[in-house]
Amino acid sequence: MKINVAWALLPAVSAFLPASGADVHKNVDTAHRLARPPAPVFTDVTTHAGIHFTHNAGKAGQKYLPETLGSGCAFIDLNGDGWPDILLLNSRNWKPGGRRSLPALYRNNHNGTFTDVTAASGLDVEMYGMGVAVGDYDNDGREDIYVTALEGDRLFHNEGNFKFKDVTRAAGIHNAGFGTSAAWFDYDRDGKLDLFVANYVQWSPEKDLWCSLDGATKSYCTPESYKGLPSRLFHNLGGGRFEEVAARAGVGDPTSKSLGVTVLDYNGDGWPDLFVANDTQPNKLYRNNRNGTFTEEGMTAGVAYGEDGVARGAMGADAGDYDGSGRPHLLVGNFSNQMLGLYHNEGNGLFVDEAPSSTVGRASLLSLTFGVFFFDYDLDGRPDILAANGHIEEEIGRVQPKVSYREAPLLFHNLGNRRFENVSARMGEAFNRAIVARGAAYADFDHDGDLDILISTNNGPACLFRNDGGNRNNWLSVKLAGVKSNHDGIGAVVRLQSASGRQWNTVRSGSSYCSSSDLALTFGLGRDPSATVEVDWPSGLKQQFGSVPANHAITIQEPH
């Protein structure tokens, strides 16, 4: 077993290295850290970083339903250098011809900028892309990419050096059912990553329906106008092959209209469960039966509906322990006039939505939230909340004057004791600009310790927000390398103990909306100078490490 220090900001690291047998790479992007503001702000560095991308929804006046929903984004370390790269998905025009609309792949240059390496990468494929999930499905040490697309999903194998091969057919994967969010997870704990794909509704240009807000002009239909679709579960057989087992496993409900998925162990039995966010249909909570099947418990657990007992328009989802209870709670982005869902896990199989009685609910009531996640933006040891917002109907203000098409993101600071404060207005002018957000992801792209934000917009430019000042507090970043478990350590639980208390997180793929965040876990330590680290691997192995100094990124390898 070993700990490998990937980079360091403390001179004291030399005292830690002999015991770990590791090497060190100095942080190369420190200018903004040294000139940090008195409190954290998010600075729009999209252009400065070399990100020049505009999403094409293919809008041409037909008001086709898929035009409102794409597309997602990802932070992903594609070459294993520890620096997160960026993938931005694109859609396309409905009719062939004209300028091609391609995804965009950006390589991290280690200096706060990125280089577009899309051309000849194998990802330069025109498709009506929706979501992305990141995971090393064949345990070869390189992150692979699954893309959901309207005309058929695609699995791209990472060949190295930013080259990818489309292995969809060879892998036995077939899904042309309006896939949205997806997540890699090892549901049977056999060391090989399986894949859950959320499917939306039965739609095609030929089956498109006429809907209207005012009775005179066509508008985008709600999903209530269309029948649902069963989601997919692809079981990893090894050797690069998968088997579709959703119906057999109990997760293929044909009435669902799924947009978001997050993986969590809500009952603490060590096996990954699934929460699926459904649009105008009851949300699903699938308990892992530890035998290859799941039991749906959304209704009895209290997460299927809103407080009023009505199914909401749920979009993205995430899970995290925002109150230090040791249990994962649920965060759900919902339609406008429905507020965010903040389901507190009571520990007895029940969840209680705390949003209606909190700042989170009041501030998000009029927003339509797609991308959502927990992350500790100020590194104080408490998970905060990011909500990426944007309506689906450009003319919504005509019939609902208080609701806007373009909406600014929301940032909620965790005050402790299950209380949040809306601090969006303090995050700078650029952060508060109204956009039509869809996907959202986080990573420390510039290696200064604090977490940055990537937001994709519908039919508009991507936004890269650098966290300036979050690293006023101490931090520890933990990356896992599985041996008996899957190589990414997805499903492993990392626990930290420092002077301020205990905290934990699970390595997870998916979450948010149609997006993937960095697989490294960042823990805020406040003013604590060090922490002990424990890892519970999916294989059942456990590791413990003594005092690890703050302000380091470490890689922990599972024992053989």
Side-chain angles (χ1 to χ4, degrees), residues 1 7 42 134 213 263 267 296 415 425-426 428 445-446 462 483:
M1 78 185 164
W7 72 87
F42 282 97
V134 173
L213 287 173
V263 182
N267 57 357
E296 205 289 298
L415 301 175
R426 305 176 197 168
F445 81 83
D446 53 359
V483 176

Side-chain angles (χ1 to χ4, degrees), residues 31-54:
H32 67 272
R33 177 175 59 85
L34 298 175
R36 58 194 176 189
V41 297
F42 282 97
T43 303
D44 187 341
V45 296
T46 313
T47 301
H48 170 77
I51 306 298
H52 306 287
F53 173 84
T54 299

Side-chain angles (χ1 to χ4, degrees), residues 262 264 275 285 303 318-320 328-332 341-343 351 374:
T262 191
L264 73 164
F275 173 81
L285 181 63
V303 299
D318 195 17
H329 315 291
L330 284 167
L331 175 66
V332 184
L342 186 61
Y343 295 97
F351 289 75
F374 292 108

Side-chain angles (χ1 to χ4, degrees), residues 23 79 107 128 139 153 178 210 232 237 252 277 286 326 345 358 374 376 402 428 471 481 518 553:
D23 52 11
N79 58 351
R107 183 189 65 224
Y128 207 96
N139 292 326
D153 299 353
F178 206 151
W210 193 91
R232 301 285 191 179
L237 301 174
Y286 292 109
N345 186 342
S358 75
F374 292 108
D376 187 358
K402 293 183 178 181
N471 58 7
D518 190 14

